[in-house]
Amino acid sequence: MLHSSQRCRQRRIPVTALSVALAAALAGPVYAQTADTAAPDAEAKEKATELERIQVTGSNIKRTDVETASPVQVISKQDIENMGARTLLQVLDNLPAARPAQVDSKSLFTGSDGASQANLRGLGAQGTLVLLNGRRLSYYGAPAGFQTQFVNIDSIPAAAIERMEVLTDGASAVYGTDAVAGVINVITRREYQGAEINLTTDFAPRFDSYGEHQLSFTGGFGDLDEDRYNVYGSVNLYRRDPIPLSEWYDKKPEQFYVNNPNYINNLRLGSGSAPGVFNPGSYFAIDPVTGRRTQEAAPGCQNVVVEAAGPRCIWQTWLNNEIDGGAQSERATAYVSARFLIGDTTEAFAEATYTDIDLRANGGTPRAFGTTTGNPTSWFSRNTGNTVNQFFYPYLGPNNVYNKASPALRAINGGVVGLQYLLQDVGGDHFGQRNTDKSYRGMFGLRGALGDWNWETAFTTAGSHSVTYQTTNVNLEGFERAFGPFTVDPATGRVIISDNPAYKFGEISEANAKLLREAYPTFDIESWTRLHTLDGKIEGPLFALPAGEVRAAFGFNLSRETFFTPGNPDAANGLITQQGGSWFDGKRTTYALFGEAVAPITDKLELELAARVDKYPNFNANFAPKIGLKYQAFEQLMLRGTYSEGFRAPSLAEAGEGGVFAQIGGYRDEVRCNETNAIANLLLQSARPGDVDLGRTLRNSDCSRNVARLTQPNQGLEPEKAKIATLGFVYEPTNWLSVSADYWFIYRRNEIVAPDYSKPEDILAMTRFGITDADRANLAALAAMCADPASGVTCPGTLPGYSIGNISSVIGQYRNRGRTLVDGFDIDARSRFDLGDWGRLNVGVAATIARRNMYHAGDDSGWLYGNTVGYYNNPRLRATFNVDWNYGDWNTSFYVNYVGKTKWAYDRIDAQDNNEETCTGSYVSVQPSKCDGAPAWWTANLGVTWKPTDKLTVGATVKNLFDRHPFYDPNDWMTFPGYTNNFGRVFSFSVGYKF
């Protein structure tokens, strides 16, 4: 925004109280009085038209008209408070155009641990551009899924936010890459004088450990108009308390316990040995002929459970695990803004932002030494290439000093026995994960005027340093120091530990703890991103048409981007189980030229044109055009429409050097899944309790596995392309009502996708394990059950069995493939009522109605999955409703967020297995009353703010006013949908004071 001495010639627009209020929000505090006192008389309307030119997100041209051809939604600071939102992520959760995205508290083991994302239209973080004051921020250090680079919205300075502008239209012609689904522009205060402090705290009676707390301080000095400078800064401190498993385990939706009847029992609460109490463990042996497993509790065991294989010594699962749903987060964000007037026409401006994020989650239960009888852990690592690393817990040999199994058990396998033993010497706080992220952005620029033209240039440097610390997995060398050297038993061929290892079984000691800290060490994964940008633009009138002046903007952008993840040395050498890690090393310089023009064709018709050329290495320059039309049909009705083409350049994670050397979770192998379930289904029919327990354990156990995967970058990738269009209207029939409706359409093609390892054509190489001891033990248990008439099971003549082992590893590469088409309608209605002595009432409704969501993962014609609107995670309707009542010193807000119902199936193909007839989702049972799909969900917030003086503000909000608890969701790993929460009613209190 320009200083008053730089104001340009004004042009009248149709004015109502609502449009003036919007102009005030966009232009800043200087117009707040105009909006608040807007009167319906002609004189007030005439004065209201005297507006300074402002710049709206999605355009480089300053204008007096607050409505453009592109739809822009403005969320003010007051709107954010009325939502009860404490973070930017919570704001986006309340926008109908936004879809659920990664949440930092649930992001562990995603590759981008500790960060939150924005996701407009459901096209992913890679399709949503996030800006701070109109300029880019650096990507988060760790890409999501090791592929998608995105801006961590948790790093944006919340205390300094004046408003958010959400452009729900493509904007590649203005901003370049990533702006396919839209743009979220977070705008801070232009200037600030004085000082203020604000505190908020949230708590939930249903969860004693739940809490969110914020403290912010903002202070500034200097009046830009009078003193010719302004400097202000803000500091925001945020803490989210950790939530352990002890708060979650018995508060899941009821259907979860129906589907997992052994869940509570397997925690062994009240029956297993207590945490910190020595547990001698159990021994077992596998019959080499029949494959039958026989087990016994070690001598001295005080906590015995009898299973089909025999008695076993058990321990309680510690409930201090915070990884599954309640990581602790601490954030500190500092923001400084400075503006100085130089002469009559030039302004110098600078911004600096620094954010420090620390996310911690206790890993809970100490690890157990459990001799591996099934598939070994498998993973790839950088320095071992295509060779799959494997690890399994070995056996105790016949001469091991800790082999105190009974003579009968030792006789089964020549004295070799397996061991289950709790390694609790290091305590319950050693294991877990920590993520730190330190990000910054510094900017310095100049803006001014040359005659009627305004110019601006700035240099921006931004970066992020992310570190993941994990204490979860085995270090092979450390493990061997504790339990080795390992040898092979000559009689059985099994790997056995040292007969007298350094680790002393049967005692809890500091010497043991030191060995375990080496066997299960904390290792780090570091990553850095850097973005240096020089930009410049000039904007002003080109010439005059009969209907008014044609304004244009021209500019350039030069950027240098780097991304570096060296990887942990031990992980790179294959020494950390399940953590081959990722290694990326990429850098590139990009160039862009852009132009834009706004032309009044007639008094009622305005044309907007924009074009941008971006040049990236390795592929041809990309041309992104945009055209917009705005037609003022009559004073109360405006019609608008846009067409643009967008693109997303391959990220350095996708097209640089390196790759992802790790695992893929949830891999489904239909052959093994069906074979194991056939065995489980017979065991579940048995009258013998041990058989039923085994059947429950086996059921679906081979339907979702961790598999070693290697995903290779592809330097030959081309950019994704998109065609984007909008068509709508804004109607203001009275000075108290405004209604807008827009149709939107996005067709994205040539999408960059990771391999779909469920498709053979995507797999460059694959390996399988052999049939394991556990497999043979399962078959032996099935044979014993069928041979026992007491089981009551009529077994087939040929018993189910295993034809193949589980998949061990897969290798693939990023590719340009696939396309998505989404479209729908956005509707927004706002009204303002002057109640006289009773104050003012604002009512608003916003909704996104999805029409189509179609996707094809291949290059074939047609849409493989059909229209998935109405299927899981693609509701047809998302909406919000709000009422704000201002009365004297009081402000009351009521806010409702609504998400429509969906099917359980993801698409029409998946519906063959997950539908109302089967009453299943993700192949497991759902609540009988919800067989037809995930029900609609809504929550309501009620807030009251009291401002007894100009300096003091006190507020209270009840979130989820009606204490609604989420339904069971078999598709979500948290067992309830990501757009709900399980905290029940949440109370929030705030206090602010201005000095």
Side-chain angles (χ1 to χ4, degrees):
M1 185 186 300
L2 298 179
H3 182 243
S4 57
S5 63
Q6 304 163 36
R7 292 179 184 174
C8 304
R9 185 165 62 89
Q10 295 144 353
R11 179 167 55 89
R12 290 189 180 180
I13 59 171
V15 173
T16 67
L18 285 169
S19 62
V20 172
L22 178 57
L26 292 172
V30 71
Y31 298 110
Q33 185 177 358
T34 304
D36 290 344
T37 61
D41 60 273
E43 182 181 354
K45 287 186 178 182
E46 182 70 19
K47 291 181 179 179
T49 64
E50 302 298 316
L51 298 176
E52 180 180 331
R53 288 191 179 274
I54 56 176
Q55 184 174 324
V56 181
T57 297
S59 175
N60 288 301
I61 296 176
K62 297 180 185 294
R63 62 195 72 208
T64 56
D65 197 335
V66 296
E67 295 288 0
T68 68
S70 296
V72 178
Q73 182 177 1
V74 180
I75 302 100
S76 69
K77 194 177 189 70
Q78 184 63 52
D79 293 333
I80 295 173
E81 293 177 1
N82 292 344
M83 292 176 186
R86 296 288 173 257
T87 65
L88 262 67
L89 179 71
Q90 293 174 4
V91 175
L92 296 177
D93 285 343
N94 289 288
L95 295 184
R99 298 289 301 279
Q102 178 173 299
V103 181
D104 70 312
S105 62
K106 304 175 185 178
S107 65
L108 302 182
F109 306 107
T110 63
S112 55
D113 310 46
S116 300
Q117 301 173 346
N119 176 17
L120 292 176
R121 305 298 190 203
L123 294 181
Q126 68 271 36
T128 303
L129 179 62
V130 179
L131 305 174
L132 178 62
N133 291 326
R135 287 183 168 86
R136 289 177 177 265
L137 298 98
S138 180
Y139 290 129
Y140 186 62
F146 305 100
Q147 175 189 5
T148 301
Q149 292 191 278
F150 64 95
V151 170
N152 178 19
I153 59 176
D154 293 330
S155 67
I156 294 177
I161 294 176
E162 179 67 26
R163 67 184 185 275
M164 291 172 56
E165 295 179 8
V166 181
L167 175 72
T168 53
D169 183 16
S172 288
V174 177
Y175 299 112
T177 184
D178 302 341
V180 173
V183 179
I184 298 171
N185 189 11
V186 179
I187 300 173
T188 60
R189 306 180 188 191
R190 178 174 178 261
E191 58 179 309
Y192 183 84
Q193 299 93 37
E196 64 179 276
I197 187 170
N198 293 278
L199 299 94
T200 65
T201 185
D202 293 12
F203 67 91
R206 189 169 190 245
F207 279 71
D208 293 337
S209 57
Y210 171 85
E212 286 189 82
H213 320 281
Q214 284 197 90
L215 168 65
S216 65
F217 176 82
T218 302
F221 54 90
D223 184 278
L224 200 57
D225 289 330
E226 296 181 4
D227 302 323
R228 301 180 62 80
Y229 73 89
N230 178 260
V231 178
Y232 80 90
S234 68
V235 175
N236 192 85
L237 305 178
Y238 170 87
R239 174 188 167 90
R240 183 183 59 244
D241 297 332
I243 303 176
L245 182 61
S246 58
E247 288 266 44
W248 287 106
Y249 81 96
D250 61 348
K251 296 184 179 71
K252 296 174 181 286
E254 287 187 16
Q255 185 63 33
F256 171 81
Y257 304 102
V258 174
N259 290 348
N260 299 272
N262 284 351
Y263 177 76
I264 298 293
N265 293 336
N266 288 342
L267 298 176
R268 304 298 179 186
L269 302 177
S271 60
S273 59
V277 176
F278 172 71
N279 186 297
S282 304
Y283 301 110
F284 68 87
I286 305 293
D287 190 294
V289 177
T290 65
R292 183 176 183 273
R293 176 188 174 109
T294 303
Q295 64 188 24
E296 64 184 23
C301 176
Q302 302 299 313
N303 305 87
V304 177
V305 63
V306 178
E307 299 175 330
R312 179 165 66 91
C313 197
I314 57 173
W315 50 77
Q316 292 184 28
T317 294
W318 291 18
L319 298 180
N320 58 346
N321 182 345
E322 299 163 358
I323 287 178
D324 283 348
Q328 172 186 306
S329 179
E330 294 180 347
R331 305 176 200 150
T333 303
Y335 174 79
V336 178
S337 171
R339 284 175 166 78
F340 302 88
L341 296 181
I342 304 172
D344 293 333
T345 61
T346 305
E347 176 184 301
F349 59 94
E351 294 179 4
T353 303
Y354 180 79
T355 302
D356 191 326
I357 299 176
D358 194 336
L359 185 86
R360 298 170 183 259
N362 192 335
T365 306
R367 296 300 177 266
F369 186 107
T371 299
T372 303
T373 60
N375 299 316
T377 300
S378 61
W379 70 101
F380 285 106
S381 62
R382 188 180 82 194
N383 295 340
T384 58
N386 291 357
T387 300
V388 181
N389 305 286
Q390 295 185 355
F391 168 77
F392 51 85
Y393 284 85
Y395 287 75
L396 304 185
N399 300 316
N400 190 286
V401 296
Y402 301 109
N403 187 346
K404 299 177 181 179
S406 66
L409 190 69
R410 291 165 62 93
I412 293 175
N413 227 335
V416 175
V417 297
L419 173 68
Q420 292 176 311
Y421 180 89
L422 187 62
L423 303 168
Q424 57 181 317
D425 304 80
V426 294
D429 296 329
H430 175 68
F431 297 95
Q433 181 163 326
R434 179 188 179 194
N435 296 87
T436 64
D437 179 68
K438 295 176 172 57
S439 60
Y440 68 89
R441 193 183 80 154
M443 179 185 61
F444 173 78
L446 295 170
R447 63 168 65 99
L450 292 173
D452 291 335
W453 286 75
N454 307 308
W455 59 269
E456 181 174 318
T457 185
F459 174 76
T460 306
T461 181
S464 176
H465 177 208
S466 303
V467 187
T468 296
Y469 302 91
Q470 286 188 352
T471 313
T472 304
N473 303 318
V474 168
N475 180 292
L476 300 185
E477 292 181 345
F479 191 84
E480 187 161 6
R481 283 193 292 271
F483 302 102
F486 304 134
T487 57
V488 176
D489 177 68
T492 63
R494 300 191 186 279
V495 176
I496 59 176
I497 68 172
S498 169
D499 286 341
N500 192 7
Y503 181 87
K504 307 300 181 185
F505 291 95
E507 65 179 55
I508 299 177
S509 66
E510 176 55 33
N512 277 350
K514 182 179 179 181
L515 289 168
L516 291 183
R517 284 191 286 268
E518 295 180 5
Y520 300 88
T522 298
F523 71 97
D524 64 292
I525 304 172
E526 295 188 88
S527 56
W528 289 265
T529 63
R530 296 289 184 270
L531 178 65
H532 307 297
T533 302
L534 177 65
D535 64 70
K537 63 183 178 182
I538 185 168
E539 179 268 343
L542 280 180
F543 52 86
L545 292 175
E549 65 184 15
V550 176
R551 299 187 68 88
F554 306 96
F556 73 92
N557 186 283
L558 171 65
S559 296
R560 177 67 173 175
E561 179 185 358
T562 62
F563 176 42
F564 179 52
T565 300
N568 179 275
D570 283 349
N573 291 323
L575 298 179
I576 306 293
T577 60
Q578 299 174 276
Q579 283 293 337
S582 57
W583 166 60
F584 300 109
D585 188 4
K587 55 183 68 70
R588 63 189 177 194
T589 301
T590 62
Y591 313 86
L593 295 173
F594 56 86
E596 186 178 352
V598 175
I601 305 303
T602 69
D603 289 340
K604 295 185 175 182
L605 180 63
E606 184 176 86
L607 172 67
E608 299 179 12
L609 296 172
R612 181 181 174 111
V613 177
D614 288 85
K615 181 64 181 77
Y616 282 75
N618 301 327
F619 56 86
N620 295 331
N622 185 85
F623 176 72
K626 182 171 185 176
I627 183 172
L629 287 171
K630 185 179 70 172
Y631 180 66
Q632 196 77 44
F634 46 89
E635 184 176 358
Q636 292 81 20
L637 177 64
M638 184 192 76
L639 307 179
R640 62 187 178 190
T642 64
Y643 170 81
S644 63
E645 295 184 4
F647 79 103
R648 182 180 78 87
S651 71
L652 291 175
E654 296 162 332
E657 296 182 359
V660 181
F661 305 86
Q663 290 187 313
I664 181 172
Y667 189 89
R668 186 178 181 88
D669 178 359
E670 292 291 349
V671 175
R672 279 287 302 201
C673 174
N674 294 335
E675 291 180 347
T676 300
N677 281 350
I679 297 170
N681 290 338
L682 281 176
L683 290 168
L684 288 171
Q685 300 173 35
S686 177
R688 309 189 318 176
D691 296 331
V692 173
D693 282 343
L694 179 59
R696 289 172 174 172
T697 300
L698 291 180
R699 177 68 180 167
N700 292 324
S701 62
D702 278 345
C703 300
S704 179
R705 309 284 300 190
N706 288 333
V707 174
R709 61 96 178 252
L710 167 58
T711 304
Q712 304 166 340
N714 183 351
Q715 296 184 3
L717 291 173
E718 292 290 323
E720 298 179 349
K721 298 293 185 71
K723 297 181 184 296
I724 307 126
T726 65
L727 181 65
F729 66 85
V730 179
Y731 181 50
E732 295 189 358
T734 70
N735 62 2
W736 55 264
L737 175 64
S738 175
V739 179
S740 68
D742 293 276
Y743 168 74
W744 48 269
F745 169 94
I746 303 172
Y747 173 50
R748 186 173 64 183
R749 62 196 187 282
N750 209 36
E751 292 180 344
I752 301 169
V753 297
D756 182 350
Y757 290 109
S758 66
K759 300 182 182 303
E761 60 269 23
D762 276 18
I763 299 175
L764 303 179
M766 181 179 73
T767 62
R768 283 186 180 272
F769 295 114
I771 305 299
T772 67
D773 285 341
D775 293 339
R776 286 186 282 270
N778 296 337
L779 296 176
L782 178 66
M785 180 201 73
C786 291
D788 184 358
S791 70
V793 180
T794 301
C795 297
T798 301
L799 296 181
Y802 293 108
S803 62
I804 53 175
N806 277 299
I807 291 176
S808 168
S809 69
V810 288
I811 299 175
Q813 186 181 50
Y814 294 117
R815 295 174 57 187
N816 280 110
R817 190 192 58 196
R819 48 206 168 84
T820 299
L821 185 152
V822 294
D823 69 343
F825 299 90
D826 288 337
I827 299 173
D828 189 277
R830 303 288 156 184
S831 60
R832 292 163 58 93
F833 301 95
D834 187 347
L835 304 180
D837 294 340
W838 289 93
R840 291 178 304 168
L841 185 69
N842 301 326
V843 181
V845 177
T848 292
I849 304 170
R851 181 170 175 263
R852 289 178 295 179
N853 190 321
M854 302 194 296
Y855 174 71
H856 199 302
D859 301 317
D860 302 334
S861 61
W863 299 97
L864 179 62
Y865 301 109
N867 185 8
T868 60
V869 169
Y871 287 87
Y872 181 77
N873 208 29
N874 278 307
R876 186 169 298 279
L877 175 64
R878 294 176 65 92
T880 60
F881 169 78
N882 69 283
V883 178
D884 306 321
W885 179 34
N886 298 291
Y887 177 66
D889 300 332
W890 297 84
N891 181 74
T892 302
S893 63
F894 182 69
Y895 197 93
V896 178
N897 194 337
Y898 175 88
V899 179
K901 65 177 297 183
T902 68
K903 300 178 185 294
W904 288 120
Y906 282 89
D907 51 61
R908 61 185 177 85
I909 297 175
D910 189 42
Q912 297 172 10
D913 300 297
N914 300 279
N915 54 48
E916 189 172 358
E917 287 71 31
T918 62
C919 200
T920 58
S922 283
Y923 305 97
V924 298
S925 300
V926 298
Q927 187 175 336
S929 63
K930 296 177 174 58
C931 293
D932 59 341
W937 174 258
W938 61 269
T939 55
N941 298 345
L942 177 64
V944 178
T945 302
W946 178 44
K947 192 173 183 179
T949 71
D950 291 339
K951 295 184 176 182
L952 178 64
T953 303
V954 180
T957 302
V958 183
K959 304 177 186 178
N960 192 2
L961 177 65
F962 300 99
D963 195 28
R964 305 192 71 230
H965 297 175
F967 54 89
Y968 174 66
D969 186 344
N971 292 314
D972 194 283
W973 67 275
M974 285 291 291
T975 73
F976 54 86
Y979 51 83
T980 69
N981 71 64
N982 202 27
F983 301 131
R985 187 179 289 120
V986 176
F987 295 92
S988 175
F989 297 96
S990 64
V991 60
Y993 189 81
K994 293 184 178 180
F995 299 92

